[in-house]
Amino acid sequence: MFVDSHCHINFPDLASKLPEIFDLMTANQVSHALCIGVELEKFPDIRALAEAHSNVYASVGVHPDHEDCTEPTVEELVALADHPKVVAIGETGLDYFRLTGDLEWQRERFRTHIRAARTCGKPLVIHTRSAADDTLRIMREEQAGEAGGVMHCFTESLAVAEAAIELGFYISFSGIVTFKNAAALREVAASIPLERMLIETDAPYLAPVPHRGHINQPGFVKHVAEEIGRVRGLSVEAVGEATSQNFFRLFAAARP
């Protein structure tokens, strides 16, 4: 019924208890998960996870928060994405919240990922925080719409969501949508087209209510669907079905 479109089950908090994680996914009708790359050095671990589990997919990319790491090239990203279980380029984007100063390197890295996605024909997984204007500007300049993709863990305004959708992107909601102080985000979740929506955990981070404060995991993604259903007046089953169909439509290399 549900797909977790963005998680990090290779991170230490989760990698040490994968059997429990998969059991909870099954119990909560979470059929598939996309494990997201954040640095090239750890990509082999993610690829191995995807190869070992039929319901896990992988992405390849370098997170905008990772300043001191191997800088990817277009050619490297395209080569690493040439694998049947690697369905996306990213996590990429801009983050002006955690890092300050001259962040031109971040913008150039973002451009590299967009060019790689256009080259290999796989969609982008985009992170943006306190940087929406520059994120959208670079997406337009680099013709990111040719690759398509998703604005992950979305926390921006409805106007930003609509601009991304106009560029051909999906909007993914995390456990943040269940938080008490997220009324504005719930309005976005109630307003955008359901056919442009995904759900995610971003596990091990951002556990949704009623698990807030605990380590997050893909089995909790149903709570995101429940909250979206509540604000839209839909059943959790309807949200699960729609967002799962959207996932497999966007990540065409994945197979349900």
Side-chain angles (χ1 to χ4, degrees), residues 5-6 34 36-37 58-62 77 87-93 109-127 135 138-140 142-152 167-172 198 200 247 250-252:
S5 68
H6 191 115
L34 174 52
I36 301 293
S59 76
V60 59
V62 181
L77 291 170
V87 300
I89 299 291
E91 176 173 357
T92 184
R109 181 185 292 172
F110 186 25
R111 293 180 189 276
T112 294
H113 283 75
I114 297 173
R115 292 167 188 171
R118 290 177 59 201
T119 299
C120 71
K122 293 187 176 181
L124 290 150
V125 176
I126 293 181
H127 168 112
T135 299
I138 291 173
M139 289 168 68
R140 294 186 182 106
E142 296 291 338
Q143 300 176 340
E146 289 187 4
V150 57
M151 310 299 285
H152 115 87
L167 289 171
F169 278 71
Y170 289 73
I171 306 298
S172 181
L198 298 179
E200 66 172 90
F247 176 89
L250 172 61
F251 299 108

Side-chain angles (χ1 to χ4, degrees), residues 19-240:
E20 300 170 38
I21 287 166
F22 288 120
D23 284 347
L24 187 66
M25 285 175 63
T26 300
N28 288 334
Q29 297 181 281
V30 181
S31 63
H32 297 79
L34 174 52
C35 188
I36 301 293
V38 296
E39 56 185 356
L40 296 186
E41 290 79 0
K42 297 294 178 63
F43 174 71
D45 297 337
I46 296 173
R47 182 175 56 203
L49 264 175
E51 289 171 341
H53 301 280
S54 62
N55 63 337
V56 176
Y57 302 102
S59 76
V60 59
V62 181
H63 195 287
D65 284 352
H66 290 216
E67 187 172 6
D68 298 318
C69 63
T70 301
E71 199 65 38
T73 66
V74 170
E75 294 74 18
E76 285 174 316
L77 291 170
V78 169
L80 292 171
D82 187 18
H83 186 286
K85 294 301 292 287
V86 179
V87 300
I89 299 291
E91 176 173 357
T92 184
L94 302 177
D95 193 319
Y96 297 170
F97 180 82
R98 294 188 179 93
L99 298 175
T100 57
D102 183 1
L103 297 179
E104 183 59 27
W105 62 268
Q106 228 184 57
R107 293 183 283 274
E108 286 304 310
R109 181 185 292 172
F110 186 25
R111 293 180 189 276
T112 294
H113 283 75
I114 297 173
R115 292 167 188 171
R118 290 177 59 201
T119 299
C120 71
K122 293 187 176 181
L124 290 150
V125 176
I126 293 181
H127 168 112
T128 183
R129 190 172 185 190
S130 301
D133 288 346
D134 277 359
T135 299
L136 290 169
R137 174 179 61 81
I138 291 173
M139 289 168 68
R140 294 186 182 106
E141 290 174 356
E142 296 291 338
Q143 300 176 340
E146 289 187 4
V150 57
M151 310 299 285
H152 115 87
C153 194
F154 192 81
T155 56
E156 302 292 338
S157 67
L158 178 59
V160 172
E162 290 173 339
I165 290 169
E166 186 176 348
L167 289 171
F169 278 71
Y170 289 73
I171 306 298
S172 181
F173 295 95
S174 71
I176 294 174
V177 78
T178 71
F179 295 177
K180 184 183 296 186
N181 62 351
L185 185 61
R186 283 189 283 275
E187 290 182 12
V188 178
S191 301
I192 69 167
L194 185 61
E195 60 268 22
R196 281 288 165 176
M197 184 182 296
L198 298 179
I199 56 175
E200 66 172 90
T201 59
D202 204 10
Y205 311 116
L206 304 173
V209 175
H211 301 285
R212 193 164 184 194
H214 294 86
I215 294 172
N216 202 3
Q217 55 179 301
F220 294 163
V221 77
K222 71 171 186 178
H223 299 297
V224 179
E226 287 169 347
E227 185 62 21
I228 290 170
R230 188 187 68 80
V231 301
R232 296 183 71 100
L234 297 172
S235 68
V236 66
E237 292 84 4
V239 175

